[in-house]
């Protein structure tokens, strides 16, 4: 038995990612036709949330039920995670009971430590460094609307955060060009940028970065855990709002994505999410289907 983890997108090969996206589209079709597909009857996914979530919790929990299994929600407030039980111990205990563990936490090192001791697949459901599950949904959404993303230009506008880092990893695996426009002091981690080589171009001016782009993506200016920096960040990012007028500088068939939740009037104008180029609600809905394809991949690898 091989235990495969999904701690970042780089845990997949380009071919595995490509197949997973096609599979996500197939699984979505089954669900839309209300076909019953329950390969994982009696499987249980443990879900540890150290940060808030709507989409991630609902999509994993719904996905497990639809696949014939079950999911357990755990928060630090009412488990021993909040009382300092070592991750090494928790990983070994949970591995004796559940078939996979999904974790949303702060530092990437927490999930790496957990995975080191777990004998069941561990899934990164967002850390300060990465949000790989979101990228599965984003890439699925692009594929459904526009076909292959290979060779296209994607632009990331805003904070060089966990989502930006996952877009960098996606650029490597799915072979697209990524323009990144961040204010000074909010660039992505240079070590992650460096791995992607010449696929990445850094900009300061969002108007320059968006020029001709096929996909435009942004995120909140202050991520979970950075609430104290909200005011300072609003000032630093004030020229980085994505609006229909900015989108007009992108390619004529450009799509707009945002992982949500969005702050209208900050990183997006009040009308951006309702613009015809916005696919944010398809993107959010695809979390369900993309993660079912991920669960299938990980559970079948572990069988
Ligand atoms: N995009 C995303 O992960 O949303 P939640 O924080 O609601 O899970
Ligand atoms: N960058 C955001 C993403 C939320 C889904 C955060 O980490 O809060």
């Amino acid at each position: 038995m091989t235990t495969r983890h999904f701690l970042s997108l780089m845990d997949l090969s380009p071919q595995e990612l490509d197949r997973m996206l096609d599979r996500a589209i197939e699984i979505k079709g089954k669900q839309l036709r209300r076909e019953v597909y329950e390969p994982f009857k009696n499987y249980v996914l443990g879900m540890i949330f150290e940060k808030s979530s709507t989409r991630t919790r609902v999509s994993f929990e719904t996905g497990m039920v639809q696949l014939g299994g079950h999911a357990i929600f755990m928060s630090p407030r009412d488990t021993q995670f909040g009382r300092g039980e070592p991750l090494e111990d928790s990983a070994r205990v949970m591995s004796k009971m559940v078939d996979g563990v999904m974790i949303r936490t702060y530092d990437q090192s927490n999930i790496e430590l957990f995975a080191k001791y777990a004998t069941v697949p561990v899934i990164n459901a967002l850390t300060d460094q990465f949000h790989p599950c979101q990228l599965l949904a984003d890439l699925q959404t692009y594929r459904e609307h526009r076909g292959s993303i290979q060779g296209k230009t994607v632009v990331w506008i805003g904070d060089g955060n966990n989502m930006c880092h996952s877009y960098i990893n996606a650029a490597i695996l799915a072979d697209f060009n990524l323009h990144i426009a961040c204010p000074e002091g909010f660039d992505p981690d240079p070590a992650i940028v460096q791995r992607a080589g010449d696929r990445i171009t850094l900009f300061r001016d969002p108007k320059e970065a968006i020029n001709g782009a096929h996909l435009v993506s942004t995120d909140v200016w202050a991520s979970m855990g950075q609430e104290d920096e909200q005011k300072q960040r609003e000032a630093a990012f004030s020229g980085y709002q994505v609006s229909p007028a900015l989108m007009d500088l992108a390619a004529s068939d450009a799509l707009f994505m945002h992982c949500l939740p969005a702050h209208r009037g900050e990183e997006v104008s009040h009308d951006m999410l309702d613009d015809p180029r916005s696919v944010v609600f398809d993107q959010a809905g695809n979390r369900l289907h993309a993660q079912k394809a991920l669960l299938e991949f990980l559970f079948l690898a572990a069988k």
Side-chain angles (χ1 to χ4, degrees), residues 52-57 104 131 134 224 259-261 287:
S52 303
S53 167
T54 299
R55 278 145 288 269
T56 304
R57 179 178 176 182
R104 172 168 284 197
H131 193 6
Q134 181 67 52
M224 289 183 276
C259 62
L260 305 180
R287 293 291 303 277

Side-chain angles (χ1 to χ4, degrees), residues 196-259:
D198 60 8
R199 287 192 185 84
I200 310 291
T201 316
L202 299 176
F203 295 83
R204 290 280 171 243
D205 181 357
K207 289 199 182 80
E208 210 186 315
I210 203 171
N211 191 23
H214 303 100
L215 169 61
V216 179
S217 189
T218 189
D219 187 12
V220 290
W221 292 338
S223 284
M224 289 183 276
Q226 297 172 332
E227 289 78 5
D228 294 352
E229 300 171 27
Q230 176 69 28
K231 283 284 154 240
Q232 172 218 335
R233 284 172 170 266
E234 275 176 30
F237 286 89
S238 65
Y240 288 76
Q241 183 181 84
V242 181
S243 63
L246 187 65
M247 285 293 295
D248 288 344
L249 304 177
S252 56
D253 63 346
L255 296 176
F256 172 73
M257 295 193 195
H258 187 312
C259 62

Side-chain angles (χ1 to χ4, degrees), residues 62-113:
T62 303
M64 279 303 295
V65 171
Q66 290 175 348
L67 291 170
H70 184 77
I72 301 174
F73 172 80
M74 302 165 82
S75 86
R77 212 172 50 175
D78 37 34
T79 59
Q80 303 291 4
F81 286 105
R83 298 184 59 251
E85 181 168 13
L87 289 171
E88 299 89 315
D89 294 352
S90 305
R92 285 177 285 189
V93 169
M94 287 187 72
S95 296
K96 297 277 185 205
M97 300 177 187
V98 300
D99 300 282
V101 181
M102 183 235 82
I103 308 181
R104 172 168 284 197
T105 183
Y106 289 87
D107 202 72
Q108 182 77 6
S109 60
N110 294 337
I111 198 165
E112 282 169 5
L113 182 62

Side-chain angles (χ1 to χ4, degrees), residues 25-228:
I25 293 169
E26 269 170 36
I27 287 179
K28 180 176 181 175
K30 283 182 192 289
Q31 188 57 41
L32 295 179
R33 293 188 298 274
R34 304 297 291 182
E35 274 175 38
V36 177
Y37 176 59
E38 294 182 333
F40 301 116
K41 198 155 171 50
N42 290 328
Y43 276 57
V44 177
L45 179 73
M47 306 191 299
I48 302 167
F49 281 97
E50 294 195 304
K51 294 176 176 175
S52 303
S53 167
T54 299
R55 278 145 288 269
T56 304
R57 179 178 176 182
V58 175
S59 53
F60 270 111
E61 197 161 331
T62 303
M64 279 303 295
V65 171
Q66 290 175 348
L67 291 170
H70 184 77
I72 301 174
F73 172 80
M74 302 165 82
S75 86
R77 212 172 50 175
D78 37 34
T79 59
Q80 303 291 4
F81 286 105
R83 298 184 59 251
E85 181 168 13
L87 289 171
E88 299 89 315
D89 294 352
S90 305
R92 285 177 285 189
V93 169
M94 287 187 72
S95 296
K96 297 277 185 205
M97 300 177 187
V98 300
D99 300 282
V101 181
M102 183 235 82
I103 308 181
R104 172 168 284 197
T105 183
Y106 289 87
D107 202 72
Q108 182 77 6
S109 60
N110 294 337
I111 198 165
E112 282 169 5
L113 182 62
F114 194 99
K116 187 171 165 200
Y117 286 88
T119 53
V120 295
V122 175
I123 298 171
N124 181 348
L126 184 145
T127 59
D128 291 344
Q129 285 78 18
F130 297 111
H131 193 6
C133 291
Q134 181 67 52
L135 260 291
L136 297 180
D138 293 20
L139 294 173
Q140 179 189 344
T141 308
Y142 190 87
R143 186 170 289 199
E144 286 173 335
H145 283 267
R146 296 284 184 265
S148 173
I149 202 165
Q150 186 175 24
K152 302 281 184 188
T153 298
V154 177
V155 59
W156 176 262
I157 297 178
D159 192 14
N161 63 10
N162 44 10
M163 277 297 299
C164 178
H165 291 157
S166 288
Y167 263 96
I168 296 172
N169 286 344
I172 299 172
L173 289 183
D175 191 22
F176 57 79
N177 302 309
L178 181 63
H179 292 180
I180 300 176
C182 304
E184 208 172 338
F186 298 93
D187 287 334
D189 180 341
I192 298 173
V193 173
Q194 205 189 1
R195 274 208 309 252
D198 60 8
R199 287 192 185 84
I200 310 291
T201 316
L202 299 176
F203 295 83
R204 290 280 171 243
D205 181 357
K207 289 199 182 80
E208 210 186 315
I210 203 171
N211 191 23
H214 303 100
L215 169 61
V216 179
S217 189
T218 189
D219 187 12
V220 290
W221 292 338
S223 284
M224 289 183 276
Q226 297 172 332
E227 289 78 5
D228 294 352

